[in-house]
Amino acid sequence: MSYILGIDGGGSKTVCVLMDDSCQLLGRGEAGPSNYQTIGIEATLQSIQSAIHNAVEAEIITNSVNIDAICLGLAGVGRAADIRVVKRLVQELQNNKSLPINWALQPENIVICNDALIAIVGGIGQPVGIVVAAGTGSIVFGRNHQGDTKRVGGWGYILGDEGSAYKIAIAGMNAALKSYDGREMSTSLVGAFKQHLGLENIEYLIEVIYRREWGVKQIAALAPVVDFAAASGDIVANIIIDDAVKELVKATSTVIHAIFSDDSVLEVVTTGSVWRGRCKIHERFAASLVKRFPNVKVIFPRYEPAYGAGLLALQTTQN
């Protein structure tokens, strides 16, 4: 039997799925992060090996697992130099005798791409469409029928990430402090941040953010405070959410104009924590985008990115 591996490697975890040539999911494994640009090659290799082992563990009890194709969709992989690094990593995987599998890979059956592409394929079920990722950070990535791609955003929390949980959280704290100063209108965000963080006074935000040296993920985790305030009707919080929607719509529109046409029939898949909020940000985004592009359908993912990686790997065995 032919087996395929699909790997989704990100900054927080690595997911590997084992599939057969009929697209049936046979195993799934998770491990630690695998963004080699932040944790290094060796740690990345260890995470991918662990995820593969966990995915094939159950199947090897009854079958000899021969891997005929593999796709690695990894965060931060886009340049030619990145592809070369990951190719060497795949070679090390094949040389590792501790993995309980037999490698039967040909060069044409090895797919290396960024995690945005596998999010499209997994989310939509085919390699054509747009993914709008809004979690800790944000990025919009599209691919058309001709294979042309366009990326907008993904520049990180300092240079970009508009519409992300991080930027929503920062805007919320900004608005709360301006309200406290008397510079802007009153908002329930003052009390909301105090309650959420257990602060006696909103001024203690300084101690939380600066003296505790909070990182991007910790700050982004405060976005639900703004979301809940917006869902409760707070005007200032809703302005923040509307601004996030505008940025994400603008980024998506840019991708459509670049590689599609305004009347294209296509699906836009939304991924990330921001879309799960209570304030109907998903509905707001969809309504605004469809108003501009009537033939666009905004959806939640049909499958996870690792499954999308598996589908891309499977394609190489059918050409």
Side-chain angles (χ1 to χ4, degrees):
M1 181 180 291
S2 294
Y3 290 93
I4 289 92
L5 291 177
I7 296 171
D8 172 23
S12 58
K13 67 178 180 179
T14 302
V15 178
C16 175
V17 297
L18 175 70
M19 298 165 51
D20 63 19
D21 51 15
S22 67
C23 296
Q24 183 179 354
L25 184 63
L26 302 174
R28 185 182 187 278
E30 291 192 14
S34 53
N35 185 336
Y36 86 89
Q37 301 193 58
T38 57
I39 67 171
I41 289 293
E42 285 304 313
T44 295
L45 180 62
Q46 289 298 320
S47 291
I48 292 174
Q49 287 175 342
S50 296
I52 292 173
H53 187 281
N54 294 336
V56 305
E57 194 171 26
E59 190 67 18
I60 62 174
I61 296 174
T62 55
N63 293 289
S64 175
V65 178
N66 299 304
I67 303 300
D68 293 312
I70 186 173
C71 173
L72 300 96
L74 306 181
V77 171
R79 301 168 302 168
D82 300 320
I83 302 296
R84 289 193 294 270
V85 168
V86 180
K87 280 184 177 179
R88 291 195 296 270
L89 188 150
V90 174
Q91 189 59 54
E92 290 190 52
L93 284 174
Q94 295 179 79
N95 294 335
N96 187 337
K97 304 305 179 183
S98 66
L99 286 172
I101 53 179
N102 302 313
W103 295 100
L105 294 175
Q106 298 299 318
E108 62 269 21
N109 301 128
I110 300 171
V111 180
I112 299 167
C113 60
N114 61 54
D115 55 348
L117 179 57
I118 64 171
I120 289 179
V121 181
I124 296 175
Q126 62 170 332
V128 175
I130 297 173
V131 59
V132 183
T136 300
S138 67
I139 186 171
V140 180
F141 181 84
R143 186 179 188 274
N144 64 18
H145 286 283
Q146 291 73 42
D148 303 318
T149 62
K150 174 65 176 177
R151 184 192 92 165
V152 174
W155 302 116
Y157 72 101
I158 294 177
L159 300 177
D161 281 351
E162 295 84 1
S164 68
Y166 176 84
K167 285 298 171 72
I168 289 171
I170 289 291
M173 289 186 285
N174 224 325
L177 292 172
K178 287 180 178 179
S179 174
Y180 178 74
D181 282 345
R183 287 183 282 163
E184 298 288 351
M185 71 174 71
S186 177
T187 171
S188 64
L189 288 170
V190 177
F193 280 114
K194 283 171 58 179
Q195 181 178 1
H196 183 81
L197 296 168
L199 307 177
E200 291 183 15
N201 190 297
I202 195 65
E203 292 181 6
Y204 289 115
L205 264 180
I206 290 177
E207 191 271 332
V208 172
I209 301 301
Y210 295 117
R211 295 176 193 169
R212 296 184 195 176
E213 298 181 346
W214 273 26
V216 175
K217 290 184 179 180
Q218 290 166 300
I219 292 174
L222 297 177
V225 175
V226 183
D227 167 65
F228 186 80
S232 300
D234 185 89
I235 294 174
V236 173
N238 273 290
I239 291 172
I240 292 170
I241 297 299
D242 285 338
D243 286 344
V245 168
K246 288 175 185 175
E247 290 291 346
L248 294 169
V249 168
K250 184 188 298 183
T252 308
S253 300
T254 302
V255 172
I256 293 173
H257 289 314
I259 60 173
F260 296 99
S261 61
D262 288 5
D263 58 353
S264 292
V265 177
L266 74 146
E267 291 185 317
V268 173
V269 60
T270 52
T271 66
S273 60
V274 167
W275 303 113
R276 298 192 292 269
R278 304 184 187 186
C279 69
K280 298 184 177 180
I281 188 171
H282 191 267
E283 290 88 338
R284 298 187 200 194
F285 171 80
S288 180
L289 190 66
V290 171
K291 188 175 181 179
R292 297 189 186 192
F293 308 100
N295 295 323
V296 166
K297 183 179 180 182
V298 180
I299 64 170
F300 283 110
R302 294 190 173 96
Y303 309 101
E304 67 176 328
Y307 188 79
L311 292 178
L312 283 173
L314 182 59
Q315 274 189 347
T316 69
T317 68
Q318 299 171 339
N319 294 335

